[in-house]
Amino acid sequence: MADLRVTLSGITLDNPVIPASGTFGYGKEFAEIYDINILGSISFKGTTKDPRLGNPLPRIAECTAGLINSVGLQNPGVEKVCEEELPELRRIFKKPLIANISGFSPEEYEYCARAMDKEEQVGIIEVNVSCPNVHNGGMAYGVLPESAAEITRVVKAATKKPVYIKLSPNVTDIVSIACACEEAGADGLSLINTMLGMRIDIRTRKPVIANRMGGFSGPAIFPVAVRMVNQVYHAVKIPVIGMGGVSKAEDVIEMMMAGASAVQVGAANLVNPYACREIIEELPALMDRLGIERLSDIVGIV
Ligand code: SIN
C-alpha cells in the first residue's frame, strides 16, 4: 500500500498536503464541506502582533492561469488568534498546525513567536519574510540574506518549536538567502511566496489592484517554484516545504522530486475548495502508476 507519510523536523504528517497560509483561513469554512482531518497539516492565515484590516479594495485580479492578491496581511491580531481562532480550530482539526507569522519589526516577529510558542497545537512556526503586499516589513526582510538571517535569529531565540522561514521569489539569488537562514538556525524553509505582478484595466486606464501591484500565484508560477525548490534543496541540509502553483497530485510528486519534504497548496483552494482533498485522494493511485511505494523516497531525487 502506498505510504504517504512524510516527516518535518520530527513531526510525522499522514501525507504531505498542507493548505498554504491565507488560502484556508482557520479551516472553518472548509470543515463545513469536508473532514479537514485528512490534511497533512494546515498553515493558518498569517498573524501579526496587531489586528490589520488589510489593503484597500480591489485587492484581487484574475489572470490567465493564476491570480494576483494584495490582501495586506488582514488578520485579527495575535491575541485574538490565540484566544478565539485557535481554540475553534482545535475543535475541528486534531493534528499539529503550522503558525504563519509576520511583522513590521524584529520585535513584532519576536512577539508573535513567543505567543505561538505557548500554543500546544502549533508544531512549526512559519516566518513570513516574503509578503509582497505591505511596506516596511513583510518582503523587506526577505530580500537580503542579512535581514532574513536577523529575523531567523530573533524568532529562534523566542521559541523552542521548529522555525521555517518562508522565502520570496522576488530576489536575485534565493539560494544565498536560504543559506543565510540555515546558518542563522532555521529548522526548515518554505518556498515560494507569490511573485510581484500587476494588471491594468485598459478601459479605466488604471491598475486593477488598488495598491497597484500584488502577489501572483497559481499554476503559471509552478515551474518557477519547482526550479527554486530544486536549487535550494541542493544548497541546504534543512527540509524544504515546496509551494507555488501546486494544483494536482502530479504537481505534488514533481515538487517532492525537486526536493520538497512536504507541499503547500495555495491558489488552487480558491478555485476549487476541494482541491486538497482531491489531491490526497488521487495520490495513492498515482504513486502506484509511477511505481512509488513511499513518498519520502522521492524527495530530491532530481
Ligand atoms: C497578504 O496577506 O497580503 C498575502 C500574504 C503573503 O503573500 O505573504
Side-chain angles (χ1 to χ4, degrees):
M1 210 174 98
D3 183 352
L4 276 71
R5 286 170 303 173
V6 296
T7 302
L8 291 174
S9 304
I11 301 167
T12 300
L13 313 184
D14 293 336
N15 63 69
V17 180
I18 304 166
S21 177
T23 65
F24 210 76
Y26 303 94
K28 276 182 278 204
E29 297 77 9
F30 292 83
E32 284 173 16
I33 59 170
Y34 71 88
D35 179 7
I36 60 173
N37 285 287
I38 61 163
L39 299 166
S41 177
I42 296 171
S43 177
F44 57 81
K45 175 63 189 159
T47 303
T48 51
K49 177 174 177 284
D50 299 315
R52 287 180 56 80
L53 290 174
N55 289 339
L57 302 176
R59 49 194 191 186
I60 298 286
E62 290 194 37
C63 311
T64 309
L67 64 94
I68 295 175
N69 92 80
S70 177
V71 172
L73 296 174
Q74 179 178 344
N75 79 97
V78 71
E79 252 129 65
K80 212 160 179 186
V81 168
C82 292
E83 279 164 23
E84 294 176 19
E85 299 294 350
L86 295 189
E88 264 195 67
L89 182 48
R90 199 177 310 133
R91 275 193 286 280
I92 54 174
F93 186 69
K94 306 294 178 192
K95 297 176 173 179
L97 292 167
I98 299 180
N100 183 291
I101 61 167
S102 275
F104 293 83
S105 65
E107 292 73 25
E108 288 189 11
Y109 279 97
E110 181 187 350
Y111 189 92
C112 291
R114 284 195 193 286
M116 290 307 165
D117 186 65
K118 297 196 194 98
E119 292 296 323
E120 210 183 312
Q121 200 182 355
V122 169
I124 288 173
I125 298 181
E126 181 176 67
V127 183
N128 187 0
V129 291
S130 48
C131 174
N133 301 326
V134 292
H135 302 293
N136 310 319
M139 197 170 88
Y141 290 110
V143 292
L144 290 174
E146 298 76 24
S147 48
E150 182 196 358
I151 298 297
T152 306
R153 277 191 290 273
V154 163
V155 173
K156 276 296 287 178
T159 180
K160 292 207 160 41
K161 297 189 192 278
V163 171
Y164 282 49
I165 310 296
K166 185 165 178 177
L167 300 181
S168 174
N170 303 305
V171 294
T172 312
D173 179 16
I174 194 166
V175 170
S176 61
I177 297 166
C179 292
C181 294
E182 180 181 40
E183 247 181 71
D187 299 284
L189 299 164
S190 293
L191 61 136
I192 58 175
N193 205 325
T194 53
M195 304 189 70
L196 254 190
M198 181 177 182
R199 296 301 307 274
I200 295 167
D201 183 329
I202 57 172
R203 287 170 300 269
T204 62
R205 304 178 179 204
K206 293 202 169 104
V208 173
I209 300 251
N211 210 27
R212 295 184 77 84
M213 290 172 235
F216 181 42
S217 59
I221 73 164
F222 181 68
V224 179
V226 170
R227 185 264 292 177
M228 287 188 161
V229 165
N230 193 242
Q231 285 180 307
V232 168
Y233 172 80
H234 287 293
V236 300
K237 294 196 171 55
I238 50 179
V240 173
I241 304 179
M243 71 201 72
V246 174
S247 53
K248 51 189 195 295
E250 285 82 355
D251 297 344
V252 172
I253 302 284
E254 189 172 338
M255 196 57 106
M256 293 186 77
M257 287 182 172
S261 294
V263 177
Q264 292 188 9
V265 177
N269 295 312
L270 309 177
V271 179
N272 170 15
Y274 295 101
C276 287
R277 186 176 81 173
E278 287 172 9
I279 291 171
I280 292 166
E281 286 172 353
E282 283 161 21
L283 272 171
L286 177 61
M287 287 167 65
D288 281 350
R289 285 203 297 283
L290 296 172
I292 300 166
E293 268 175 43
R294 281 183 301 269
L295 269 187
S296 54
D297 288 345
I298 62 166
V299 175
I301 59 168
V302 176

